[in-house]
Structures are given as structure tokens and as C-alpha cells.
Amino acid sequence: MIQQAEIKIKQIRELKNITQEYVAQKLGLSTRAYSKIESGETQLTINRLNEISEALGVGSMEVLGFDDKQVFNNCKQDGYIGINHINIPDKLIQQYEETIQSLKEQIQLMKLLQDK
């Protein structure tokens, strides 16, 4: 049995603003079954930890080594309260970059039309 991992899982999930429903769906479980894992009612196995870690977008070793006090201390030292190292999906970054490029092209076109 993995000690305190369920608490760490819940903290990471909440910090990443991910719902229990989302993780449960990724695991093919009901929300209630997943909730039992986080509350410690259901024993957490290594395999399940790996599946949950993947759904949360973190490594299982990161989950086991997670320290919520360290996260907030780092944020406080940086002069703000927030979450360090937020993982933004590559696809989202690509969409933003494409949007920025499109807007730049539109601006150039508008400048050309204005000069005429």
C-alpha cells in the first residue's frame, strides 16, 4: 500500500483544476469509485497510481514526492501566490501561435489597405 498518495493525488488534481469526473472518465471508472480512491476507502495500487498520474499529466514519482507546502513556499518566495510549472498542452500553444500569426497577417493587410 502506498502511504498518503491519495492525498497527494487530490492536491495535485485540485492545483491543476481537474475534476474528479475527468479523471474517473480517463480511468473508465465511475466518479464515486474514483472518489473512494482519493478518500482512501479503496486501496491504491502501483498500476492505478500510474494511470492516475498519466490522467493528471504528471509522473508517478512526482505524485509520490509531491509536497504542497513546497509548492506554496516557492510561489510565496517568487512574490505571488499561484501554481508553478503549469503544464500547457502543446496543441493549445500551437493554436495560440497560429492565432497570433493570423492576427499579424491581418494587421499587415490592414496597413497596406490604409496606405492606398
Side-chain angles (χ1 to χ4, degrees):
M1 187 164 137
I2 302 163
Q3 296 289 328
Q4 302 267 312
E6 64 276 354
I7 295 169
K8 295 175 181 190
I9 288 168
K10 181 178 180 179
Q11 290 171 332
I12 292 169
R13 180 184 57 76
E14 289 176 343
L15 282 170
K16 291 185 123 213
N17 201 25
I18 297 173
T19 64
Q20 283 187 338
E21 291 81 8
Y22 173 82
V23 179
Q25 181 183 16
K26 288 286 193 182
L27 301 176
L29 300 173
S30 69
T31 303
R32 179 67 184 130
Y34 177 73
S35 175
K36 286 183 176 185
I37 293 171
E38 281 192 2
S39 69
E41 293 177 57
T42 299
Q43 186 175 4
L44 181 64
T45 64
I46 295 293
N47 289 339
R48 187 61 81 186
L49 172 63
N50 290 334
E51 293 170 350
I52 293 170
S53 297
E54 187 176 323
L56 294 174
V58 298
S60 52
M61 294 307 290
E62 289 179 85
V63 171
L64 295 176
F66 180 75
D67 181 1
D68 64 326
K69 292 170 187 63
Q70 186 65 35
V71 170
F72 289 109
N73 284 341
N74 287 343
C75 293
K76 193 173 181 181
Q77 288 173 0
D78 289 342
Y80 66 94
I81 300 296
I83 302 169
N84 282 344
H85 310 297
I86 297 174
N87 294 324
I88 301 173
D90 290 338
K91 186 171 182 166
L92 184 59
I93 292 171
Q94 181 183 356
Q95 288 174 339
Y96 278 115
E97 288 173 348
E98 289 171 359
T99 301
I100 290 169
Q101 183 59 38
S102 174
L103 290 171
K104 284 179 179 179
E105 290 170 4
Q106 289 177 26
I107 289 169
Q108 280 201 312
L109 179 61
M110 291 173 76
K111 285 181 179 179
L112 286 172
L113 291 173
Q114 187 179 23
D115 291 341
K116 287 186 178 185

